[in-house]
């Protein structure tokens, strides 16, 4: 089923307090955390000969591809209900995968990063498919998300390079990242447990994109995954 854009009512903000919005945005920050940090960690694994240089690109691409694919499909087919239960499972599992990274090598690293991308996609869906699509100014909230995410990435990268690596080594960098991710549990508890249907969903049911929309979504997903692959070699 498809709906013409002109038939959709203008979005309006659904009632939500500041704490709930902060928790929802924080989930997106947790999802994007490795975008700026993982290149440093993967480069360290390469220096220690645990992965090859081509596998760095494969690991970054698989993570970005899985995150985008899961976030998109969840938004299309899953209703935003019982989100706290989902988040309380996803966040500890994501932290556990970060902690598992020092014990992985070669293809195992690619697999762990792909599984991390799946869980990151779930958290991203909880924000985008939940709060952001229900705001009157989604662009502003995306701006807040990326400003917060990039600021935290810069802070964590600095801490890793200046404190963690010199004093403890590469493996503890992954443990540090896992501990930071685990703080996302507080974001889950603050964020809404569910969202009301969008106006057009309540009237017409969920709408899937037309064929051109699927092509555009696929192109955007592949572009983001390719960008993630290239970016890890520029750090």
């Amino acid at each position: 089923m498809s709906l013409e854009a002109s038939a959709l009512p203008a979005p309006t903000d659904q009632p939500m307090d500041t704490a709930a919005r902060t928790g929802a945005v924080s989930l997106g920050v947790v999802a994007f955390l490795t975008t700026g940090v993982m290149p440093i960690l993967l480069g360290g694994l390469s220096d220690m000969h645990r992965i090859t240089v081509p596998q760095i690109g494969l690991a970054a691409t698989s993570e970005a591809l899985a995150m985008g694919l899961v976030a998109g499909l969840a938004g299309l087919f899953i209703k935003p209900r019982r989100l706290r239960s989902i988040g309380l499972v996803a966040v500890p599992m994501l932290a556990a995968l970060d902690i598992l990274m020092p014990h992985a090598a070669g293809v195992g690293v690619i697999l762990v990063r792909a599984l991390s991308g799946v869980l990151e996609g779930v958290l991203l869906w909880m924000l985008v498919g939940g709060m952001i699509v229900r705001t009157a100014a989604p662009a502003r909230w995306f701006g807040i998300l990326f400003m917060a995410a990039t600021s935290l990435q810069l802070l964590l990268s600095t801490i890793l390079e200046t404190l963690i690596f010199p004093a403890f080594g590469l493996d503890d960098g992954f443990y540090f990242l896992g501990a930071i991710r685990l703080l996302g549990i507080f974001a889950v508890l603050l964020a809404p447990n569910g969202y009301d249907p969008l106006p057009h969903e309540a009237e017409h049911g969920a709408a899937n994109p037309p064929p051109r929309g699927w092509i555009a979504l696929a192109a955007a997903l592949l572009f983001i995954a390719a960008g993630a692959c290239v970016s890890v070699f520029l750090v």
Side-chain angles (χ1 to χ4, degrees):
M1 177 182 179
S2 63
L3 293 174
E4 296 295 334
S6 59
L8 299 180
T12 57
D13 282 317
Q14 292 194 3
M16 195 181 310
D17 59 31
T18 302
R21 292 185 186 274
T22 301
V25 172
S26 298
L27 290 176
V29 173
V30 172
F32 279 121
L33 191 59
T34 56
T35 305
V37 176
M38 196 53 62
I40 301 173
L41 296 169
L42 292 177
L45 290 179
S46 178
D47 292 341
M48 298 176 70
H49 306 290
R50 297 186 193 176
I51 58 173
T52 65
V53 173
Q55 285 174 334
I56 294 177
L58 289 173
T61 302
S62 63
E63 182 172 3
L65 195 61
M67 179 172 62
L69 190 62
V70 169
L73 292 177
L76 289 172
F77 299 112
I78 302 178
K79 294 181 179 180
R81 296 286 184 270
R82 296 189 292 182
L83 297 181
R84 291 198 185 105
S85 297
I86 296 173
L88 289 175
V89 172
V91 169
M93 288 180 64
L94 187 55
L97 287 172
D98 290 332
I99 294 171
L100 181 63
M101 279 290 291
H103 308 285
V107 177
V109 172
I110 299 172
L111 179 60
V112 171
R113 296 324 309 164
L115 292 174
S116 296
V118 170
L119 296 170
E120 290 163 350
V122 170
L123 297 181
L124 186 59
W125 160 72
M126 290 172 65
L127 168 63
V128 177
M131 188 197 86
I132 287 184
V133 299
R134 289 167 172 79
T135 63
R140 178 166 64 90
W141 286 103
F142 268 114
I144 292 172
L145 167 63
F146 283 110
M147 182 184 68
T150 53
S151 298
L152 183 58
Q153 290 166 14
L154 177 61
L155 175 62
L156 293 184
S157 297
T158 303
I159 292 174
L160 287 172
E161 291 281 8
T162 60
L163 298 177
I164 303 296
F165 291 162
F168 304 103
L170 177 67
D171 288 354
D172 287 289
F174 288 104
Y175 301 146
F176 175 71
L177 178 61
I180 296 298
R181 293 253 224 195
L182 199 56
L183 296 176
I185 288 177
F186 295 104
V188 173
L189 297 177
L190 284 175
N193 191 41
Y195 295 92
D196 295 332
L198 292 167
H200 68 272
E201 290 178 340
E203 184 176 353
H204 303 284
N208 293 327
R212 289 185 178 181
W214 286 108
I215 294 172
L217 288 172
L221 178 61
L222 293 174
F223 178 81
I224 292 171
C229 177
V230 173
S231 68
V232 295
F233 297 108
L234 302 178
V235 176

